[in-house]
Amino acid sequence: MASDIELLDCPLCDFAVLPADEYALQLHFEQEHTEDSPFVIKDDPDRPSSFASSSNCKHAQDTTSSDDDEKTVACPEPDCGELILLGDLNDHLDLHAAESLSFDETARKYRSHHSSSNMQKSAATRHSHKRSTKFASSDYRHDTESLDDSKSSISNGKLKKRHRRERRGTDSSEKSTLARSILTFNPFKSDNPVKPPKKSARLGKSELGPYAWEEHMPNWLHSQLEAGPKITVVNRIGRDGRLIKQEQVQNETPGILPILAQLSALDRTVKEAYYCHPSTLHIGKTPKEGSFCGYRNIQMLISYIQGAKAQGHEEFSGRMPGILTIQDLIEKAWDRGINHVGRVQTGGIRDTRKYIGTPEAQALFLHTEIDCAVEMFSDQDTSHGKVQAHDLLLLAVERYFAQAAVSDGSSVHKTLLPPIYLQRPGHSITVVGFERRSDSYCNLVVLDPVYSTSPAMHKLIGRKNIRSARPEVMHAYRRGPSHLRKFAAFEILMLTATPPLFPAWDV
């Protein structure tokens, strides 16, 4: 019986966990009882103390329980600044490890390199990074554990139930769910009106992040965002042999989609794949900026609009609008009554680090008269059993891309569709493709703003005749069932205007 289970107790307080959650106890000890722990959020020690006072928060108004804080942990990587759900920490550190992957490294060298560097990290970090070595050799390649533990599968456009085996951490009651749902907003008249928001009052840390009550971000961060990413000019040799001056933006990587499409085609475990318009850029964070993932994903959708000259491109002429400009656009959308409940819930976002999500992304695109649609997926109990949110998500994404696929005899379908904004609990990413590995295993192919482009990918960009699969490179861009099943709900935002027809993939 449950009452007979012996709990693991913290030696310094009343905190206790089940034996299977020993890692959570280690993190608790690091956060609560260890000086200079890398898992405790602190002001940047490299910044003058005067900056700290500029980001005063109304802590007295914060009614978030301590339970919410114990579910998250600060990333120990020095330039990250992200606050991570405990269940995501291993995956998060794995992907940080992938950022440093060199093109010339073999899987063996890669494992050796990270194994030795892990010796210098904290015990919790070492535990997480050990897992990062597995992908160099397998990279989810028909990951047997994922296939066996899958709650359901998607095949031929239908959900197909499989043999179920309970897996620790995937029970619905333990899954993370969305803090704010787009379906509670009603920004325009509809034949199917939705209910008003359940939470129309001011929200706190659990929905808006650690700076939920912030009035102004630190001066140094405002200045960094106002200045924008660094831009350098490099010399390249063109196809005709002439010298070309080319701009490189610090946090933008063009040309990734054609490489991902080639790598999918070379991977013999990929039965079929789809990709969005190749003009989509990978846009990441700048050093120490923290969690602005919602804004960075909006920028990635705008990069498609700019590059494809899609609907609304006149609104975004010139350089990519920065985070402060996007905040202004969202506030203007609220002024017009578009998803204006967001202002009540957030208290306003201008010049702050409050988290934004699908409601704000939708507000921005509707304000700029760019057609978009949203859809939500959540775990459901049906007469035939439980249907999980990630199964519904994978089915919808495959259906989205398949609508524009042209059969040319290739297993990789290169479409001209926009990328998809995907919100999952605690984070958002941009979906740029879909891979079917087998009848029962699929991947989303994503661009994640938290992680920078690896040297290995930079080395491949621009090549049109890649000859060997690089699963260790693809790992950073794949999100499969083993990752997605941890979440009980997802939201997607899709740009719905007719895409341009010029042959962008041939350019």
Side-chain angles (χ1 to χ4, degrees):
M1 296 177 60
S3 59
D4 298 328
I5 298 177
E6 184 177 351
L7 298 177
L8 297 178
D9 298 316
C10 174
L12 300 180
C13 69
D14 295 332
F15 184 80
V17 297
L18 293 171
D21 293 327
E22 179 182 359
Y23 186 45
L25 181 60
Q26 293 179 28
L27 288 173
H28 163 79
F29 193 86
E30 284 274 358
Q31 289 179 297
E32 302 297 331
H33 307 300
T34 305
E35 293 184 4
D36 299 324
S37 170
F39 296 94
V40 178
I41 301 176
K42 298 179 180 179
D43 289 330
D44 186 353
D46 298 329
R47 304 291 179 185
S49 58
S50 59
F51 287 118
S53 62
S54 67
S55 60
N56 292 333
C57 301
K58 301 176 183 177
H59 294 293
Q61 300 182 37
D62 191 356
T63 58
T64 305
S65 70
S66 59
D67 289 341
D68 292 323
D69 295 333
E70 290 179 356
K71 294 177 183 176
T72 59
V73 61
C75 174
E77 293 291 331
D79 286 337
C80 182
E82 294 282 340
L83 198 65
I84 310 301
L85 293 170
L86 284 176
D88 288 351
L89 184 59
N90 284 341
D91 288 343
H92 181 80
L93 293 176
D94 283 351
L95 292 168
H96 270 314
E99 288 178 296
S100 62
L101 180 65
S102 167
F103 183 81
D104 296 324
E105 285 179 314
T106 63
R108 186 172 184 177
K109 287 181 180 178
Y110 183 70
R111 287 194 296 269
S112 175
H113 169 72
H114 285 285
S115 179
S116 61
S117 65
N118 287 343
M119 297 298 291
Q120 301 173 16
K121 295 185 178 289
S122 66
T125 310
R126 288 200 307 270
H127 174 83
S128 301
H129 274 229
K130 285 177 183 177
R131 297 178 65 254
S132 70
T133 61
K134 75 177 182 182
F135 70 77
S137 57
S138 67
D139 182 48
Y140 298 159
R141 198 175 297 193
H142 282 283
D143 186 332
T144 359
E145 182 183 6
S146 299
L147 289 171
D148 290 343
D149 292 341
S150 179
K151 304 284 184 175
S152 60
S153 60
I154 303 174
S155 179
N156 299 322
K158 298 179 180 179
L159 288 172
K160 190 166 80 176
K161 298 300 177 184
R162 304 181 67 231
H163 172 70
R164 301 186 177 199
R165 189 178 71 190
E166 288 302 320
R167 174 187 174 109
R168 183 173 62 88
T170 58
D171 184 85
S172 294
S173 63
E174 298 178 22
K175 289 185 176 183
S176 301
T177 191
L178 294 171
R180 301 170 68 208
S181 170
I182 187 66
L183 296 187
T184 60
F185 288 74
N186 190 12
F188 45 82
K189 292 182 179 180
S190 170
D191 294 335
N192 299 307
V194 295
K195 296 179 180 179
K198 294 180 180 178
K199 290 187 177 181
S200 58
R202 183 70 164 82
L203 302 178
K205 282 186 177 182
S206 61
E207 297 89 5
L208 306 176
Y211 305 105
W213 300 101
E214 182 174 68
E215 293 182 343
H216 299 286
M217 68 177 69
N219 291 336
W220 66 265
L221 181 56
H222 179 95
S223 298
Q224 177 177 310
L225 296 178
E226 189 174 42
K230 295 178 182 177
I231 299 174
T232 57
V233 178
V234 297
N235 294 323
R236 300 285 188 193
I237 303 297
R239 292 181 181 177
D240 56 1
R242 291 187 298 179
L243 193 65
I244 300 174
K245 292 187 178 297
Q246 189 177 57
E247 284 189 345
Q248 289 186 343
V249 182
Q250 178 186 18
N251 65 332
E252 297 180 6
T253 309
I256 283 184
L257 268 296
I259 303 306
L260 294 176
Q262 288 185 71
L263 295 179
S264 285
L266 290 166
D267 189 335
R268 287 180 293 181
T269 70
V270 175
K271 306 303 181 186
E272 198 166 25
Y274 305 86
Y275 281 95
C276 73
H277 197 285
S279 68
T280 307
L281 303 178
H282 183 191
I283 301 178
K285 61 168 64 178
T286 53
K288 301 184 186 298
E289 73 175 35
S291 299
F292 286 109
C293 60
Y295 299 96
R296 297 305 186 192
N297 287 299
I298 289 174
Q299 287 179 325
M300 286 194 254
L301 267 63
I302 292 174
S303 75
Y304 153 79
I305 293 171
Q306 290 177 324
K309 294 193 179 337
Q311 183 192 47
H313 69 92
E314 302 89 353
E315 297 287 335
F316 301 107
S317 58
R319 296 199 180 277
M320 178 65 62
I323 287 174
L324 300 179
T325 299
I326 292 175
Q327 289 182 337
D328 286 338
L329 289 172
I330 294 170
E331 292 273 356
K332 289 177 181 177
W334 289 340
D335 290 340
R336 292 179 55 195
I338 303 173
N339 289 3
H340 62 282
V341 175
R343 175 174 282 151
V344 177
Q345 293 181 337
T346 63
I349 59 171
R350 186 177 277 116
D351 198 30
T352 74
R353 292 174 285 181
K354 300 168 189 173
Y355 294 171
I356 65 168
T358 321
E360 286 68 50
Q362 184 189 44
L364 180 143
F365 289 115
L366 292 178
H367 169 65
T368 50
E369 299 184 357
I370 295 173
D371 299 335
C372 63
V374 295
E375 196 169 349
M376 182 177 179
F377 313 95
S378 58
D379 287 355
Q380 300 176 11
D381 289 315
T382 70
S383 57
H384 301 290
K386 181 175 288 295
V387 178
Q388 295 198 75
H390 76 273
D391 283 326
L392 298 172
L393 170 67
L394 290 167
L395 178 60
V397 172
E398 184 176 31
R399 185 168 57 238
Y400 169 82
F401 282 114
Q403 68 176 326
V406 177
S407 179
D408 60 358
S410 170
S411 62
V412 176
H413 305 285
K414 303 171 183 176
T415 78
L416 298 176
L417 291 172
I420 299 172
Y421 181 109
L422 170 61
Q423 182 73 51
R424 54 87 160 164
H427 188 43
S428 60
I429 52 182
T430 298
V431 179
V432 296
F434 178 92
E435 290 180 325
R436 175 173 291 285
R437 312 295 290 278
S438 69
D439 286 346
S440 57
Y441 191 76
C442 306
N443 288 324
L444 297 180
V445 184
V446 309
L447 301 179
D448 194 323
V450 169
Y451 309 103
S452 59
T453 306
S454 69
M457 175 57 83
H458 276 297
K459 195 82 172 180
L460 291 170
I461 289 174
R463 291 178 55 179
K464 293 189 174 182
N465 58 345
I466 301 173
R467 296 181 179 179
S468 59
R470 301 287 302 196
E472 70 279 11
V473 175
M474 285 294 290
H475 170 80
Y477 303 94
R478 285 170 168 159
R479 301 292 184 273
S482 57
H483 170 76
L484 298 172
R485 66 159 53 93
K486 294 185 293 184
F487 308 109
F490 302 91
E491 289 175 345
I492 58 175
L493 181 146
M494 300 162 288
L495 304 181
T496 55
T498 303
L501 299 178
F502 60 88
W505 286 91
D506 298 332
V507 176

